[in-house]
Amino acid sequence: MVRVRFAPSPTGHLHIGGVRSAIFNWLFARHHGGTYLLRIEDTDVQRSRVEYVESQLRSLTWLGLLPDEPLVYQMERIAEHTKAAHQLMAEGKAYPCFCDPRDAETVVYDLDSGVGRSYDGVCRNRSYRPEELKTRPYAIRFKLPEDLTEVIFNDLLLGPIRADRDQLDDYIIVRRDGTPIYNFCVVVDDIYMNITHVIRGQDHISNTHKQLLYYNALGATPPQFAHIPLILGPSGGKLSKRDASVSVEEYQAQGFLPAALFNYLVRLGWSHGDQEIFTREELVEFFSLANVGKKGSIFDMKKLLWLNGIYMRQAPAGELLEHLEALNEVQAQELCAQWSEAQLMALIDQYKQRATTLVELHNDIKAFAQEPKNLDITQIAKWRTDATKDLVSTFADRMMVASPLNHETLLSAAQRVCDDLGIKLVNLAQPLRLALTGGITSPGVFDLIAILGKERSSQRIQELIKVL
């Protein structure tokens, strides 16, 4: 039975790269009828914050990525991590290191830190008295097996990945202050959670070889590993705030739909032929690690906006209103106060055809509620003729007697007025659009009149007639 986990650290908001890992894990579990789990890796006490845990859970809830079983908090299992380290020490697979990190730089740093040299082995074969463990501070180091020449694993995406012995070390697994090291905690927790597959970013490859050492020492069968490509900025480097928003909550605040962001992130590194848009059911059916690329994928904001626009056009008006309420309840209530329910639903259906985000949708509908001020008739210069004033006035009269007030009757009335004066329909539609919205781009002008109603439409048209 497939069991996978997503394991964020609560040292910041949920990163866009992290949530893609969560999505891949979720899809892999769903495709195989398995279980998707969530572990909060909060052992970095100095940097972990409760507000970041809450933020990450909000983001995962928004995207429909909550786990199938209760959350696991790594800090709550510190006793188990420490117990496992002492078990290895009792079995001769780890040893106490009494070296003072403040005295000898060559002894301070193990390869985890990325600086200095590997441990010089001062304490590896040092004899000590049991009482020293009670009276002297010490770290616990993993004892690299004497006969070990290399560690190799077969990555499900990248194939065999090898690390020779000189790339490995007697790694610290418990610090001098008694806190276990991240990589050791991960292994103990994955064993506890019965994880069968670890799907994570390629930036974790360097952790895998040392983790495999710990699995073997603890007598556990390691999971299978798949390291997915990173999300890159337009320049091909690591995605940064200069390239795009980094946290999931920023995309929510900008008015993206969760289904659109979910779809986009799946396609950012995975493909199923040339298909771009998927239902979640299709993603579960088609998802396979075999179709995940090996190289990093470029984040393209324009493509995300395009995709979000498609999802908005496909969404029912009521669903979009629910998203608007979730985005900003106060602003959504303002729209409800400005329009009747029928008008608001109709306006959402009209303006969603042009908007690419919920923020745009809200702003457009809010702006339409306000009567245009200081009409700039230079905007309609290319459509204005000597007959424009008469054309608009005649249509305004016909509009007041149109029945029923809908797109078809208004279009028919406008067409008759234009035919009578020998003028193209656009020469009437654009001045009307200016009168209604204050601009020359908007949804269909006759649809807007039908929604706004005769009286309010007439008031706006009369203001235009005054300045023509």
Side-chain angles (χ1 to χ4, degrees):
M1 179 67 72
V2 165
R3 288 176 64 86
V4 298
R5 47 73 169 177
F6 175 54
S9 298
T11 56
H13 300 290
L14 188 57
H15 190 280
I16 202 73
V19 80
R20 190 190 58 166
S21 294
I23 290 172
F24 279 18
N25 275 281
W26 187 90
L27 288 174
F28 185 79
R30 291 293 179 270
H31 180 80
H32 292 283
T35 304
Y36 160 80
L37 305 173
L38 179 62
R39 182 171 71 233
I40 304 298
E41 297 190 335
D42 52 355
T43 51
D44 187 343
V45 178
Q46 292 184 338
R47 297 173 59 219
S48 295
R49 297 287 184 272
V50 172
E51 56 265 33
Y52 290 140
V53 175
E54 295 171 347
S55 168
Q56 292 179 358
L57 291 177
R58 285 196 302 269
S59 295
L60 293 171
T61 300
W62 183 62
L63 288 165
L65 292 171
L66 289 180
D68 301 323
E69 295 178 5
L71 281 171
V72 173
Y73 287 87
Q74 203 165 58
M75 273 298 294
E76 295 179 357
R77 291 186 36 77
I78 288 296
E80 296 301 320
H81 307 146
T82 305
K83 179 181 178 181
H86 282 276
Q87 173 190 327
L88 293 186
M89 197 162 65
E91 295 172 355
K93 298 175 183 177
Y95 58 90
C97 179
F98 297 96
C99 298
D100 188 342
R102 292 168 295 184
D103 293 341
E105 187 177 85
T106 56
V107 176
V108 175
Y109 300 110
D110 58 21
L111 299 186
D112 276 340
S113 64
V115 294
R117 294 187 289 273
S118 59
Y119 179 58
D120 58 9
V122 169
C123 292
R124 180 180 173 93
N125 296 309
R126 178 186 183 280
S127 59
Y128 60 90
R129 299 183 306 278
E131 55 266 25
E132 286 187 88
L133 300 183
K134 299 178 181 179
T135 60
R136 296 183 59 187
Y138 65 94
I140 299 178
R141 285 188 180 272
F142 177 76
K143 192 171 188 179
L144 207 62
E146 296 285 356
D147 59 350
L148 183 75
T149 58
E150 65 177 10
V151 175
I152 186 170
F153 72 96
N154 187 56
D155 190 282
L156 296 177
L157 293 181
L158 305 174
I161 299 179
R162 166 184 290 103
D164 294 329
R165 184 186 179 89
D166 60 7
Q167 297 175 267
L168 306 170
D169 195 20
D170 283 6
Y171 298 109
I172 290 176
I173 57 176
V174 178
R175 299 180 184 89
R176 287 163 58 89
D177 64 4
T179 58
I181 291 289
Y182 163 79
N183 278 300
F184 188 69
C185 295
V186 166
V187 171
V188 175
D189 288 339
D190 281 347
I191 294 171
Y192 165 72
M193 297 169 72
N194 296 313
I195 299 302
T196 63
H197 296 76
V198 173
I199 303 171
R200 58 190 181 185
Q202 290 180 1
D203 51 335
H204 285 280
I205 289 177
S206 61
N207 293 327
T208 307
H209 296 98
K210 66 186 71 171
Q211 290 174 6
L212 286 169
L213 292 171
Y214 305 151
Y215 280 111
N216 292 333
L218 291 167
T221 301
Q224 297 185 67
F225 291 90
H227 291 92
I228 61 179
L230 303 180
I231 298 177
L232 307 176
S235 63
K238 185 178 180 180
L239 185 68
S240 70
K241 287 184 177 292
R242 294 190 304 273
D243 303 318
S245 298
V246 176
S247 78
V248 174
E249 286 200 317
E250 289 180 81
Y251 287 94
Q252 184 177 6
Q254 290 169 18
F256 287 91
L257 298 178
L261 185 62
F262 192 105
N263 189 152
Y264 178 74
L265 290 176
V266 175
R267 283 287 290 112
L268 203 61
W270 172 86
S271 63
H272 179 72
D274 295 327
Q275 187 171 343
E276 291 283 354
I277 301 170
F278 299 83
T279 65
R280 193 163 292 205
E281 292 73 21
E282 287 176 324
L283 288 172
V284 169
E285 178 184 355
F286 299 144
F287 186 80
S288 168
L289 290 176
N291 291 328
V292 175
K294 298 181 179 181
K295 296 182 178 179
S297 302
I298 302 295
F299 189 93
D300 186 344
M301 178 59 79
K302 290 183 179 178
K303 187 169 183 179
L304 175 56
L305 286 167
W306 166 80
L307 188 63
N308 200 63
I310 291 177
Y311 271 84
M312 289 188 64
R313 289 191 289 277
Q314 293 176 345
E319 180 181 319
L320 290 176
L321 180 58
E322 290 177 2
H323 284 300
L324 286 169
E325 291 171 341
L327 178 63
N328 191 313
E329 187 175 359
V330 173
Q331 291 184 352
Q333 289 303 315
E334 288 176 353
L335 292 185
C336 293
Q338 291 169 332
W339 304 101
S340 70
E341 181 179 355
Q343 285 177 315
L344 185 53
M345 292 297 101
L347 286 171
I348 290 175
D349 276 330
Q350 289 297 317
Y351 277 100
K352 75 179 185 181
Q353 305 299 329
R354 308 172 61 84
T356 56
T357 68
L358 292 168
V359 172
E360 287 182 18
L361 180 65
H362 167 269
N363 291 342
D364 287 344
I365 296 175
K366 179 181 178 181
F368 184 54
Q370 309 302 317
E371 189 169 319
K373 305 295 183 184
N374 303 317
L375 293 173
D376 179 10
I377 60 174
T378 61
Q379 294 185 73
I380 58 170
K382 65 184 292 187
W383 299 287
R384 189 180 178 190
T385 70
D386 293 339
T388 297
K389 186 172 184 177
D390 290 338
L391 184 67
V392 173
S393 297
T394 303
F395 173 79
D397 293 338
R398 302 275 181 92
M399 176 192 71
M400 295 303 291
V401 297
S403 181
L405 191 70
N406 58 31
H407 175 89
E408 289 73 21
T409 57
L410 291 168
L411 175 60
S412 178
Q415 191 67 65
R416 288 197 302 272
V417 172
C418 291
D419 290 344
D420 291 343
L421 296 176
I423 294 176
K424 293 181 179 179
L425 183 63
V426 68
N427 294 93
L428 170 60
Q430 289 300 79
L432 289 174
R433 183 172 279 111
L434 177 65
L436 295 169
T437 69
I440 55 173
T441 58
S442 76
V445 65
F446 303 119
D447 293 298
L448 293 182
I449 291 173
I451 296 169
L452 194 60
K454 292 180 180 180
E455 294 300 328
R456 293 177 71 180
S457 296
S458 179
Q459 290 172 4
R460 298 187 184 194
I461 293 172
Q462 294 305 318
E463 290 301 314
L464 174 65
I465 292 173
K466 290 177 183 178
V467 297
L468 284 175

